[in-house]
Amino acid sequence: MEELALHILDLAQNSLAAGATVLAITVAEDVAADRLTITIADNGRGMEPEFVRRVLDPFTTTRTTRRVGLGLSLLAMTARQCEGDVKIESEKGQGTRVTATFRLRHWDRPPLGDLPATLVTILAGAPNLDLTYRHTVAGRTFSFSARKVREELQELPLNEPKVLVFLREYLEEALRNLHGGGKDDA
């Protein structure tokens, strides 16, 4: 995939397919350590230990519509190519946590991409999801909670088109400010 935001979207779709009602996405850009860490944790069905051991194999999937599951294997390949790795922790009935690390300044590391569009896409398809997003850059942090936004909006659903436009603009501005006013292309 050309940008890491698409990997995040793929993992979020996996979480939703596994019945997740809670999804936490964390992005940490540690400039001093030259490390980018992306974590996606959910409360979905989780996986059996044997399946976790095989899940990075592209021919391992739970889907019945096709026999290939490339999302996690492509993420792992990209992370390893960028002097990082992917770690998967899962417990049946408890959920799954996927952590991908990359050398932040590695020349082969794809850009983060359009994270606001990714988050808005997740919420458009799952407006009741308890989605949290936390992004840290050089010690500065931005946090977002869909639950808090729903509380403020009261009866207005998150997948209302005007709300989605507002959320995208809000997230774009927040990430631009987090990166010191520059483009979110770290």
Side-chain angles (χ1 to χ4, degrees):
M1 293 186 209
E2 292 183 18
E3 59 185 52
L4 296 173
L6 296 176
H7 285 288
I8 292 171
L9 181 59
D10 182 60
L11 291 171
Q13 289 172 328
N14 290 348
S15 295
L16 292 170
T21 58
V22 176
L23 181 64
I25 300 171
T26 305
V27 176
E29 299 177 58
D30 187 339
V31 177
D34 195 22
R35 181 71 41 209
L36 170 66
T37 304
I38 298 171
T39 304
I40 296 94
D42 69 43
N43 71 337
R45 284 190 291 277
M47 297 178 275
E48 297 286 349
E50 175 56 33
F51 192 78
V52 172
R53 284 190 285 280
R54 296 180 299 124
V55 76
L56 294 179
D57 179 339
F59 297 103
T60 298
T61 184
T62 59
R63 295 185 182 182
T64 57
T65 56
R66 65 177 192 238
R67 296 165 107 150
V68 177
L70 294 176
L72 277 170
S73 60
L74 285 175
L75 178 62
M77 180 187 72
T78 301
R80 290 173 186 145
Q81 179 179 328
C82 300
E83 299 176 35
D85 205 358
V86 169
K87 179 180 177 185
I88 302 168
E89 303 165 87
S90 189
E91 189 174 329
K92 192 74 172 159
Q94 299 297 310
T96 301
R97 173 186 301 271
V98 176
T99 303
T101 58
F102 307 82
R103 197 174 108 218
L104 183 63
R105 293 186 202 100
H106 196 283
W107 66 348
D108 287 331
R109 185 185 60 79
L112 281 172
D114 196 345
L115 290 169
T118 294
L119 297 170
V120 167
T121 299
I122 294 166
L123 290 172
N128 295 318
L129 179 67
D130 185 2
L131 172 68
T132 58
Y133 175 72
R134 182 177 172 92
H135 195 134
T136 303
V137 177
R140 296 182 312 277
T141 300
F142 166 73
S143 295
F144 171 84
S145 166
R147 182 185 324 150
K148 289 181 182 177
V149 172
R150 271 193 300 279
E151 288 170 4
E152 290 293 321
L153 295 176
Q154 297 175 0
E155 294 182 24
L156 195 59
L158 289 187
N159 60 354
E160 171 74 30
K162 288 180 182 179
V163 173
L164 292 171
V165 169
F166 166 78
L167 287 174
R168 175 157 181 159
E169 291 171 355
Y170 168 73
L171 292 164
E172 285 173 346
E173 181 178 352
L175 292 179
R176 195 169 34 253
N177 290 338
L178 184 66
H179 284 94
K183 185 179 176 197
D184 177 32
D185 193 36

